[in-house]
């Protein structure tokens, strides 16, 4: 059984014919094992995750600014 998935530090690829983005990830298992895989996303999912990540970056920046005051 898997415990979590991490994004690999490699570029994603985009297949224009299939209209899908592929992001390399690693699946981590509870027994300590790992397995490489790919997260396949539609254009709509890529846009949604881009918005969500932009929001997370803004929240992080706000939190960092608050600690420096």
């Amino acid at each position: 059984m898997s415990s979590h998935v991490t994004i690999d530090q490699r570029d994603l690829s985009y297949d224009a014919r299939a209209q899908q983005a592929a992001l390399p990830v690693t699946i981590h298992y509870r027994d300590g094992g790992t397995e490489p895989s790919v997260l396949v996303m539609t254009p709509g999912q890529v846009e949604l995750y881009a918005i969500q990540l932009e929001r997370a970056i803004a929240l992080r920046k706000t939190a960092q600014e608050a600690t420096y005051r």
Side-chain angles (χ1 to χ4, degrees):
M1 178 173 274
S2 63
S3 64
H4 64 283
V5 176
T6 56
I7 298 171
D8 295 348
Q9 292 189 7
R10 298 187 351 229
D11 284 340
L12 64 86
S13 61
Y14 184 76
D15 183 339
R17 287 185 297 155
Q19 295 188 3
Q20 295 178 334
L23 182 64
V25 298
T26 298
I27 301 170
H28 298 262
Y29 296 98
R30 293 180 188 208
D31 67 2
T34 61
E35 181 176 12
S37 190
V38 178
L39 174 62
V40 177
M41 298 173 281
T42 66
Q45 290 170 317
V46 171
E47 290 179 21
L48 174 62
Y49 300 144
I51 292 166
Q52 291 174 338
L53 289 170
E54 285 178 24
R55 184 170 180 268
I57 291 167
L59 289 170
R60 179 177 181 251
K61 182 178 179 183
T62 300
Q64 287 176 331
E65 291 170 352
T67 60
Y68 292 125
R69 291 181 187 172

